[in-house]
Amino acid sequence: MNAMILGATQGMGQALARLMAARGHSLFLLGRNRESLERCASDLEARYGRAPVGFEICDLREPATFGLALDQAWSVLGRVDAVVVTAGIFDTQDRLEQNREKLSEMLSVNFTNTILFCEEARSRLKKQGGGTLCVFSSVAGDRGRKPVILYGATKAGLSYYLEALDHAERRNGLVVVCIKPGFVKTAMTAGLKPPPFAGEPESVARDVLRAIERGQPVVYTPRPWGLVMWVIRRLPRFLMRRINF
């Protein structure tokens, strides 16, 4: 498989890149820091004996970088079977309420700009005859929840976009996979108390690769979060107001 990963230099994206390289897939890395990209590409080449791993700057804060980065990936890989988007921004509800600049940045990156990137990738995947678009959303978007009012809103919007896109494009050969991680121990969640069923990036990477190979439209990972959110989605509003989940 030829795959491009946006957000491959840390956390779940890095774990997925290592897993895919170990299984012999060809990769092209996208991220916003050239030094980190270069270091990750060299690491993959050294660990798994891969051919030179290509990379290019692509910053979800800067939509102007999207087209050039995607064109470069297609130029190096020839055909791109999977475009994976793991990048995004998380911050606590308190900090977002107190800092409008951070809030505006998160709203843009997690929703508007992620969708703009997906639309750029969508047109290129359709032009080559199909492929898979795999995007990380979150369980935070499944239900309006007090601890993540603002972050959850961005992921709810993104999840609905991905579901509709899958409905519209699967018949045309474009498969859309929406990943909904629960709490995963990465740099993004450093300093937060891990809840029950907290996962590791490596186990999430295995679930993501399996979903891409099978074309699963929605995947909860770690798996117990699927059952947790099944229950949460069915709770009446008066109970949601009482609990702090």
Side-chain angles (χ1 to χ4, degrees), residues 7-202:
T9 60
Q10 57 185 349
M12 291 181 276
Q14 186 178 49
L16 179 62
R18 288 179 175 177
L19 177 64
M20 296 185 80
R23 295 190 181 181
H25 300 302
S26 297
L27 300 176
F28 192 92
L29 312 182
L30 302 180
R32 60 193 178 94
N33 184 292
R34 184 168 293 280
E35 288 184 5
S36 296
L37 286 166
E38 193 168 4
R39 186 168 57 251
C40 288
S42 298
D43 176 71
L44 294 173
E45 293 163 9
R47 280 175 183 264
Y48 308 107
R50 304 298 305 161
V53 176
F55 59 87
E56 185 56 76
I57 293 288
C58 184
D59 188 346
L60 276 179
R61 294 172 178 81
E62 302 289 343
T65 64
F66 298 169
L68 177 62
L70 287 163
D71 287 343
Q72 184 66 14
W74 250 271
S75 174
V76 170
L77 293 175
R79 174 184 172 85
V80 178
D81 301 301
V83 176
V84 185
V85 182
T86 71
I89 292 176
F90 174 79
D91 213 332
T92 64
Q93 181 66 24
D94 286 344
R95 285 198 291 263
L96 291 170
E97 288 178 4
Q98 294 165 11
N99 189 323
R100 289 288 186 270
E101 189 174 338
K102 279 184 179 292
L103 172 59
S104 178
E105 181 182 64
M106 189 203 67
L107 294 173
S108 296
V109 167
N110 286 4
F111 183 69
T112 305
N113 292 354
T114 296
I115 290 175
L116 288 174
F117 179 86
C118 288
E119 288 295 301
E120 291 274 1
R122 172 193 187 183
S123 64
R124 287 165 174 79
L125 288 167
K126 288 183 68 175
K127 187 176 180 181
Q128 71 172 13
T132 297
L133 177 62
C134 175
V135 183
F136 278 54
S137 183
S138 171
V139 297
D142 270 24
R143 192 76 197 269
R145 293 165 48 202
K146 290 184 286 186
V148 286
I149 298 169
L150 298 166
Y151 176 76
T154 65
K155 294 301 185 179
L158 180 60
S159 293
Y160 272 84
Y161 162 76
L162 295 171
E163 180 183 356
L165 191 61
D166 190 52
H167 292 329
E169 296 290 4
R170 190 166 286 235
R171 72 179 62 177
N172 300 320
L174 174 57
V175 175
V176 180
V177 176
C178 176
I179 306 297
K180 295 188 176 183
F183 191 101
V184 182
K185 298 172 187 173
T186 65
M188 185 181 282
T189 57
L192 300 178
K193 183 181 178 181
F197 312 124
E200 300 289 345
E202 291 74 19

